[in-house]
Amino acid sequence: MKPHPDAVIKAFEQTGVIPVFYHDSAEISMEVLKACYEGGIRVFEYTNRGENARHNFSVLRDLKLASMPDLYLGIGTIKSAAEAKQFADIGADFIVSPIADAETGAYCKEQNVLWIPGCMTPTEISIAEKNGAPLAKLFPGSVLGPGFVKAIKPLFPTMKFMPTGGVEPEKENLKAWFDAGVVCVGMGSNILSKSVIENKDWAGLSAKFAQTIAYIRALV
């Protein structure tokens, strides 16, 4: 049974930071997911960015079902309704797109699966809103910046926003985003760094996510 989109959105808001990750190795992917979970993460976005994405996602889904009952596991980099269906069929709790594709939005709405489209302009946010997306991914966050969120929020008072790309796990950067009105942030290589993965510093990764969550909870 798939979770209701409202429940997933609530978890996004409560966790505050969403890991965004892909690795060709299923074993590495599992270790990263476990480290994130131990650090307090309850929403995790795996990305469809390699030939092993479907296999690895299935492995992560099984790990989640076995030992992480309160985790929401979603798939990112979904650019079509067909891709959304592939991953929804193998247990994705939510779908993240780099684009505002109306067909993907329509499929997710029909299936009652949370769809989070990537947006960079008011027009794209409007497309997302008209196709039932309650949360828009602002990408790349490093280009748009907190000032964009402040400017756009009055135009879309019911839309929630999550910047991804360039968000840093530091107090000042997080404060700027949350003061601007975002409900959560997506983080990839700025926290899931190449060196952490290569050194398999899973304890350090858990600690970094725990620290980042603590920073965010002090802000909101």
Side-chain angles (χ1 to χ4, degrees):
M1 182 176 174
K2 293 191 180 302
H4 192 280
D6 289 349
V8 185
I9 287 285
K10 185 176 181 181
F12 269 80
E13 293 177 318
Q14 289 178 336
T15 299
V17 55
I18 315 305
V20 179
F21 184 73
Y22 172 79
H23 198 283
D24 283 335
S25 165
E27 182 180 355
I28 293 285
S29 299
M30 290 174 68
E31 293 297 337
V32 167
L33 180 60
K34 287 190 285 188
C36 290
Y37 187 81
E38 289 171 8
I41 293 298
R42 293 299 179 266
V43 180
F44 189 96
E45 177 190 334
Y46 200 66
T47 59
N48 182 30
R49 293 192 178 183
E51 61 182 21
N52 295 334
R54 287 186 67 189
H55 168 73
N56 291 356
F57 188 86
S58 294
V59 171
L60 295 182
R61 176 207 59 202
D62 291 346
L63 175 62
K64 169 207 155 178
L65 292 174
S67 58
M68 305 172 185
D70 56 342
L71 177 81
Y72 293 103
L73 177 64
I75 187 70
T77 321
I78 297 299
K79 295 181 285 185
S80 69
E83 288 180 342
K85 183 179 188 306
Q86 287 179 350
F87 284 92
D89 285 350
I90 56 174
D93 293 323
F94 59 91
I95 303 292
V96 183
S97 301
I99 56 175
D101 177 65
E103 289 185 2
T104 303
Y107 168 78
C108 291
K109 186 175 182 179
E110 177 186 289
Q111 298 297 315
N112 202 33
V113 175
L114 176 64
W115 174 55
I116 305 167
C119 302
M120 196 179 179
T121 67
T123 298
E124 292 169 347
I125 295 169
S126 178
I127 291 170
E129 186 175 60
K130 287 176 180 176
N131 285 277
L135 172 65
K137 167 185 170 179
L138 299 178
F139 179 82
S142 57
V143 173
L144 294 170
F148 178 80
V149 181
K150 288 182 181 179
I152 212 72
K153 274 186 66 65
L155 301 179
F156 302 96
T158 63
M159 180 66 79
K160 300 177 188 292
F161 295 104
M162 174 182 70
T164 302
V167 180
E168 300 172 7
E170 311 299 336
K171 283 183 179 178
E172 288 188 7
N173 189 259
L174 292 168
K175 185 176 189 304
W177 283 112
F178 281 90
D179 283 353
V182 306
V183 300
C184 56
V185 295
M187 282 196 198
S189 59
N190 276 355
I191 196 166
L192 293 152
S193 67
K194 185 177 180 180
S195 63
V196 165
I197 305 305
E198 288 181 345
N199 294 327
K200 299 183 178 181
D201 183 13
W202 311 134
L205 183 60
S206 291
K208 190 64 177 177
F209 270 111
Q211 180 186 60
T212 303
I213 291 170
Y215 285 161
I216 292 169
R217 287 182 177 165
L219 295 172
V220 298

